[in-house]
Amino acid sequence: MNSVDLENITKIYGGTTPSVDDLSLTVGDGEFFTLLGPSGCGKSTTLRMIAGFIQPTAGRIRFGERDVTALPSHKRDTGMVFQNYALFPHMDVTGNVSYGLSMRHVPKAEKSQRVAEALDIVGLGGYADRRIDQLSGGQQQRVALARALVIQPSVLLLDEPLSNLDAKLREETRAQIRLIQKRAGTTSVYVTHDQSEAMAMSDRIAVMDAGVLHQVGTPREIYRRPATSFVARFIGRSNVLEGTVEETEASRLAVRLQGGEVLFAPVAAETVSSRVAVGDQVALSLRPETMRIEPAADDTATPVGAIRARVRMTEFTGSSCVIWLRYGEQDLLATIPDTDDLPEEDQDVMLRPDIERTWVVAP
Ligand code: ADP
């Protein structure tokens, strides 16, 4: 079993503020697992602790049943892919990929065969004799991936491997990495600050901020059911409105916003919505595509379940329209299917969030 278990991991480099604060999570066998969060949130520190390059200040790390906390990096059996490739420029592709096998004294015939297989897996079968400087950035990153995979690591660790590639190549390469990982079935921990990359590639994502884990879940869970307002804002685009719980029923909550309007949200087991009481401060996450827009006459009162907002700008994106709105002091976004009947700028509209897709988060 090549799972990775982090148990109450803390890392304090110096001073008192932890860079990683009491982090616990489990990466399943064969899973593609991403650590996601803004720069400085502790992703690389976590990855480097898994690799064994640095020691946690507290906590335990297990690979399967094996406690590797005190094990030096070269005995952990991990493959690592870095942002800057870290290839040997004076060696050809074969030299780079076979390096780890030579270090492990793998016999020559087996070495050639494994290098050929690894290059095949990353789609560089015909490039064995190329010099590194004759390859594009994307190809170099695939060599780095082959070099990490050829040692058949129990865990593959990838630290922002796409950030030096241009946008188009980044998308192509991320799809390739995902396919290669699926085929090899290697348990993988991937670090990125790019939420769309994380969403596209991962089986599950851990969202971190300032050393603290906010949520672990599938891309869909994290998008649809963010646990905190940080997750709601960081993943996709979301409107986060704060308010006070006014009524709780078995299946739904009524929340009074600061402007006085009332919106509803479903109560779901084991989430913030199931733990709140009347009078609690909460925040509602409203995804832009879950709101209906209706015209609002000047003299109509705002009905329950809706808010009144002013249109600032509309944008046509092809398949949909994005509507930028102002609600009190806050900017909101709504996306609707393309229509010839778009609201005008400076017009007031009623926004009706879909109750089932409104989500209660910790403020
Ligand atoms: P991320 O990978 O999410 O950008 P890092 O893990 O690199 O974040 O850093 C987390 C925090 O730890 C940051 O505040 C960073 O400044 C600090 N940090 C990282 N490496 C060191 C180090 N070697 N010495 C001291 N502080 C460090």
Side-chain angles (χ1 to χ4, degrees):
M1 269 282 288
N2 291 325
S3 54
V4 177
D5 246 313
L6 306 185
E7 213 179 284
N8 306 105
I9 292 291
T10 293
K11 178 66 189 179
I12 302 174
Y13 282 107
T16 51
T17 315
S19 292
V20 174
D21 193 359
D22 197 23
L23 174 72
S24 294
L25 54 84
T26 300
V27 180
D29 187 25
E31 192 171 30
F32 194 100
F33 190 96
T34 296
L35 302 171
L36 171 68
S39 175
C41 75
K43 308 178 294 289
S44 297
T45 297
T46 305
L47 200 73
R48 291 201 294 254
M49 287 190 283
I50 299 174
F53 299 151
I54 53 174
Q55 276 291 312
T57 311
R60 308 227 66 83
I61 300 176
R62 285 193 182 79
F63 289 179
E65 297 297 310
R66 199 159 58 113
D67 188 328
V68 298
T69 318
L71 213 59
S73 150
H74 65 274
K75 291 195 173 153
R76 288 200 189 185
D77 193 22
T78 56
M80 184 100 185
V81 182
F82 299 92
Q83 185 177 120
N84 58 5
Y85 322 140
L87 297 171
F88 303 115
H90 57 281
M91 289 185 192
D92 61 10
V93 169
T94 299
N96 270 279
V97 176
S98 61
Y99 183 78
L101 298 178
S102 304
M103 297 293 285
R104 286 167 175 75
H105 309 295
V106 172
K108 206 164 167 200
E110 183 188 340
K111 191 162 74 177
S112 313
Q113 192 196 341
R114 280 170 65 176
V115 169
E117 276 169 16
L119 287 178
D120 249 4
I121 286 182
V122 300
L124 290 176
Y127 291 77
D129 303 327
R130 286 285 182 98
R131 282 211 325 262
I132 294 303
D133 60 6
Q134 293 172 320
L135 299 176
S136 71
Q139 289 168 334
Q140 290 187 31
Q141 197 50 296
R142 280 189 278 152
V143 174
L145 193 57
R147 185 181 57 177
L149 286 171
V150 79
I151 59 167
Q152 295 165 348
S154 37
V155 183
L156 179 65
L157 304 171
L158 306 106
D159 193 353
E160 306 248 8
L162 305 181
S163 48
N164 286 339
L165 306 180
D166 66 41
K168 188 163 177 292
L169 199 54
R170 200 154 59 220
E171 278 196 17
E172 284 170 20
T173 313
R174 84 181 183 199
Q176 278 163 352
I177 290 182
R178 186 66 179 111
L179 288 169
I180 291 163
Q181 188 272 342
K182 276 212 145 147
R183 211 176 316 155
T186 313
T187 305
S188 302
V189 185
Y190 188 92
V191 160
T192 182
H193 63 274
D194 181 331
Q195 55 102 8
S196 60
E197 201 171 288
M199 298 284 276
M201 297 178 80
S202 316
D203 292 317
R204 285 189 309 148
I205 299 172
V207 186
M208 297 174 68
D209 185 37
V212 175
L213 177 66
H214 277 243
Q215 187 170 10
V216 177
T218 64
R220 198 167 269 112
E221 277 163 3
I222 282 181
Y223 185 81
R224 293 207 177 150
R225 301 173 148 220
T228 63
S229 57
F230 173 79
V231 177
R233 288 192 174 99
F234 194 73
I235 306 288
R237 296 198 280 198
S238 192
N239 304 297
V240 178
L241 300 180
E242 297 194 0
T244 310
V245 176
E246 179 147 290
E247 231 179 85
T248 59
E249 292 171 23
S251 64
R252 72 177 194 178
L253 291 178
V255 173
R256 188 170 290 277
L257 303 182
Q258 280 154 357
E261 306 89 333
V262 174
L263 294 181
F264 300 101
V267 172
E270 291 166 32
T271 68
V272 175
S273 63
S274 65
R275 296 192 295 271
V276 297
V278 170
D280 285 354
Q281 290 293 311
V282 293
L284 296 176
S285 161
L286 310 169
R287 293 293 182 195
E289 67 278 16
T290 64
M291 294 195 282
R292 251 191 13 238
I293 295 193
E294 297 162 5
D298 283 349
D299 52 354
T300 42
T302 308
V304 167
I307 56 177
R308 179 190 281 263
R310 179 154 295 180
V311 176
R312 289 175 54 218
M313 194 172 73
T314 60
E315 246 175 38
F316 173 65
T317 66
S319 57
S320 64
C321 296
V322 181
I323 306 183
W324 300 75
L325 301 134
R326 191 82 181 158
Y327 162 72
E329 298 291 300
Q330 229 178 314
D331 290 321
L332 302 181
L333 266 187
T335 49
I336 56 172
D338 182 32
T339 164
D340 289 329
D341 209 14
L342 275 182
E344 307 275 322
E345 280 173 27
D346 288 331
Q347 186 188 337
D348 272 8
V349 291
M350 290 296 178
L351 295 178
R352 248 179 223 285
D354 176 348
I355 295 177
E356 290 311 313
R357 298 187 65 186
T358 299
W359 204 247
V360 179
V361 296

